[in-house]
Amino acid sequence: MVSAQKILETLVAQQVLDSKTGDEIRQHVLQTGQDIEEYLMSKRLVSELQYAQAKAKAMNVPFVTLAGKGISPEVVTFIPEPVARRYTLFSFDHNPATNSISVAMADPFDLQVIEFLEQKTGKRVIPYLALKDDIDVVIDERYAQSLGAEVSAALKETVTPEIRTIEAGHLGEIIREAPIAKIVSTLLEFATKNRVSDIHIEPQEGMTRVRYRIDGILHEKLALPKSVHSAVVSRIKILSDMKIDEKRIPQDGRFNFRMGTEEVDLRVSTLPTVHGEKIVMRLLKKTGGIPTLNELGLRGLALNRLEENITRPHGIILVTGPTGSGKTTTLYSVLSRLNTTKVNIVTLEDPVEYQIAGINQVQINPAAGLTFANGLRAFLRQDPNIILVGEVRDAETSELAIQAALTGHLVFSTLHTNNASGALPRLLDMGAEPFLVASALNCVVAQRIVRKICQFCKEDYVPVKEIVEDIKKVLGKLFPASAETPATGGKPGVSLKPDVDSKQVKLFHGKGCPECNSTGYQGRVGIFEVLPVSEKISKMVLEHSSSAEVEKQAVEEGMITLKQDGYKFKYQNLK
């Protein structure tokens, strides 16, 4: 077994620790007899990952991180689950040419276990060092999926499954009908249980990669044999009512999937690639309802200003941000708040993502001539009180939206700008008259979605000086001056409460645990900046002021910027 001294030397060689710190640790250990690993962890001088990587280097064995690694279900079946749990190991790769398997182990120098595995599997074992927690998580996750048997059975089937018409109401029977269908069902079940927003099924040269987007980040979770790719694609196409014999052009479809009380609407898209058809499935939960503004993450002055503007009888409210920043969800939340029998609400969307009872929702159809502009013209003849236009894309749509607002309607829409102040010059660039924009625009909301740190494995740490200086610079006068003023209520995220003893700002991060699939994050929340169009800002619009000048004025009037909101407010009492 390699000595702890050699691991310490490796940490210094890898510049994880400087040489002075290494000498100090060596002296301390010699004087006290304390274990080096115990001392390093207690003082938080290195992370578990850094120590494990240095240990692997010192032991001259490869190191592997299993989290997010695509693993074939066939490889998982080489080692039974009880054996994997007892000895804390996991097989993650197989090389048929050399008849060898790669095995992640907490103790890769346990020769008796390696010999036992070689006898049991009939294959040569290549040991890798991995974190114990990492192995435990992947054992729970991979063996629970139990896809190995289904894939093995699917390999014996013909590549093209039987084609039949699916009758409404019989989806569950079809999904459970065959091994290929069982694979698709298991992929969907995992997605439904784990907050997945998108499933990517991607053909590669030698296998099919399955990735899940969880909390905005793609994670590679599975690798399927290339031989079942066509069958899996055909099954999904059948469920989505697509043409299974058309593989040259992209196709779109949708279907519903129910698991227990959970029901999701899946929007499916296919794309021909050089290795075959790629499928992306967007999951939209039909159960659980629309989140409230509080649940989205709006707090304090920003929430008050938005609530004040959405209760006005007319005007335009814009929500801005890049694709995937949650603009549509925010608008749905606002509409749900305003939805009563006393108002007529009509929406024009591309596409309609969630259906809300009591609201007249229309999906655009450019091929049939139903565009945002044409639909908005028709809406004005439908006696609406509140209008939602999915996006202001051109001069015609912006002009019609402004006219609708000036004639007594409350109009909601989205715009692709990086911040709230950028929406004003963008409208002028589209050709809108400055005096009309100044009169019609009530408020602009900019937003992003950020991941929340897992509450089950969060731990605090002292950040480097540069980060603390950046926090102070961004927050300015919002930075708490007193150690007695907590900023986060002890919740995950940025803690701006200086430590009483060290007088240092403390931050939180997620260590990684089974609850968050070793990512350190669980769930997402929005960060916002709300810019009401005040009298001074209206005057700046007439003067064609730049977005920087508008933002400066808005901050003087009390606006919290996106970055400030992320640093100071986002983790107060959020669950």
Side-chain angles (χ1 to χ4, degrees), residues 205-463:
E205 188 173 359
M207 53 93 175
T208 292
R209 180 172 67 174
V210 180
R211 293 194 290 172
Y212 293 102
R213 190 177 293 280
I214 303 173
D215 295 335
I217 306 296
L218 279 172
H219 299 270
E220 187 174 345
K221 292 290 186 182
L222 191 66
L224 296 172
K226 182 77 174 190
S227 55
V228 302
H229 178 77
S230 295
V232 169
V233 169
S234 295
R235 173 59 64 184
I236 294 171
K237 280 185 168 184
I238 289 172
L239 296 175
S240 309
D241 197 24
M242 297 183 195
K243 298 177 181 178
I244 67 168
D245 59 339
E246 179 56 82
K247 302 180 180 181
R248 301 166 299 170
I249 59 174
Q251 295 187 65
D252 294 301
R254 64 193 306 165
F255 67 95
N256 290 341
F257 177 75
R258 184 190 294 274
M259 187 186 71
T261 58
E262 293 281 341
E263 186 175 359
V264 293
D265 179 22
L266 291 107
R267 293 211 311 264
V268 184
S269 170
T270 69
L271 182 71
T273 72
V274 292
H275 296 300
E277 286 185 283
K278 174 183 175 178
I279 284 189
V280 175
M281 294 186 278
R282 165 67 58 88
L283 282 75
L284 301 169
K285 283 199 173 184
K286 301 180 74 172
T287 51
I290 305 296
T292 65
L293 293 174
N294 272 324
E295 289 169 345
L296 291 176
L298 274 159
R299 291 289 186 278
L301 183 62
L303 177 61
N304 292 337
R305 284 179 163 179
L306 180 58
E307 286 180 329
E308 179 185 333
N309 280 282
I310 66 176
T311 53
R312 293 172 68 176
H314 55 78
I316 296 177
I317 295 175
L318 291 175
V319 181
T320 73
T323 301
S325 60
K327 300 187 295 295
T328 303
T329 302
T330 299
L331 288 175
Y332 280 165
S333 181
V334 170
L335 291 185
S336 297
R337 178 89 169 255
L338 301 174
N339 186 19
T340 69
T341 56
K342 297 180 181 179
V343 292
N344 178 24
I345 303 176
V346 289
T347 76
L348 191 61
E349 305 171 58
D350 180 26
V352 174
E353 293 192 5
Y354 297 98
Q355 296 180 17
I356 308 174
I359 294 180
N360 307 286
Q361 296 173 271
V362 178
Q363 181 163 320
I364 71 164
N365 187 354
L370 179 55
T371 62
F372 281 123
N374 291 340
L376 189 49
R377 283 196 188 91
F379 277 5
L380 296 177
R381 297 190 291 272
Q382 288 285 315
D383 185 31
N385 299 103
I386 299 169
I387 299 171
L388 184 149
V389 183
E391 185 184 341
V392 176
R393 293 181 177 175
D394 50 40
E396 188 178 11
T397 308
S398 66
E399 182 182 345
L400 287 167
I402 290 170
Q403 291 300 327
L406 293 174
T407 52
H409 305 90
L410 185 59
V411 180
F412 294 93
S413 191
T414 68
L415 202 60
H416 288 283
T417 61
N418 290 329
N419 53 24
S421 58
L424 303 173
R426 176 64 60 84
L427 288 173
L428 300 183
D429 289 343
M430 286 183 179
E433 293 291 344
F435 69 93
L436 293 179
V437 173
S439 302
L441 197 59
N442 290 352
C443 171
V444 183
V445 180
Q447 69 178 84
R448 298 289 191 278
I449 300 179
V450 296
R451 293 186 291 172
K452 290 197 291 184
I453 293 172
C454 176
Q455 297 195 55
F456 296 96
C457 62
K458 66 166 183 169
E459 58 182 17
D460 60 56
Y461 70 99
V462 178

Side-chain angles (χ1 to χ4, degrees), residues 121-276:
T121 62
K123 302 179 186 301
R124 186 168 66 89
V125 170
I126 303 173
Y128 282 70
L129 176 66
L131 291 174
K132 180 182 182 301
D133 290 345
D134 196 11
I135 296 173
D136 289 338
V137 168
V138 82
I139 286 174
D140 289 337
E141 185 181 300
R142 302 297 183 175
Y143 284 105
Q145 288 184 24
S146 64
L147 275 176
E150 286 79 7
V151 172
S152 298
L155 291 172
K156 300 174 185 177
E157 292 191 344
T158 54
V159 173
T160 305
E162 178 187 355
I163 302 170
R164 63 166 63 178
T165 302
I166 301 173
E167 296 181 10
H170 294 285
L171 176 61
E173 296 172 18
I174 298 299
I175 287 178
R176 291 189 293 270
E177 192 173 82
I180 285 289
K182 177 61 178 175
I183 293 172
V184 175
S185 177
T186 307
L187 294 177
L188 296 177
E189 286 173 11
F190 179 87
T192 307
K193 291 176 185 174
N194 290 275
R195 312 183 317 279
V196 171
S197 60
D198 301 86
I199 307 173
H200 292 239
I201 302 174
E202 303 168 308
Q204 307 289 300
E205 188 173 359
M207 53 93 175
T208 292
R209 180 172 67 174
V210 180
R211 293 194 290 172
Y212 293 102
R213 190 177 293 280
I214 303 173
D215 295 335
I217 306 296
L218 279 172
H219 299 270
E220 187 174 345
K221 292 290 186 182
L222 191 66
L224 296 172
K226 182 77 174 190
S227 55
V228 302
H229 178 77
S230 295
V232 169
V233 169
S234 295
R235 173 59 64 184
I236 294 171
K237 280 185 168 184
I238 289 172
L239 296 175
S240 309
D241 197 24
M242 297 183 195
K243 298 177 181 178
I244 67 168
D245 59 339
E246 179 56 82
K247 302 180 180 181
R248 301 166 299 170
I249 59 174
Q251 295 187 65
D252 294 301
R254 64 193 306 165
F255 67 95
N256 290 341
F257 177 75
R258 184 190 294 274
M259 187 186 71
T261 58
E262 293 281 341
E263 186 175 359
V264 293
D265 179 22
L266 291 107
R267 293 211 311 264
V268 184
S269 170
T270 69
L271 182 71
T273 72
V274 292
H275 296 300

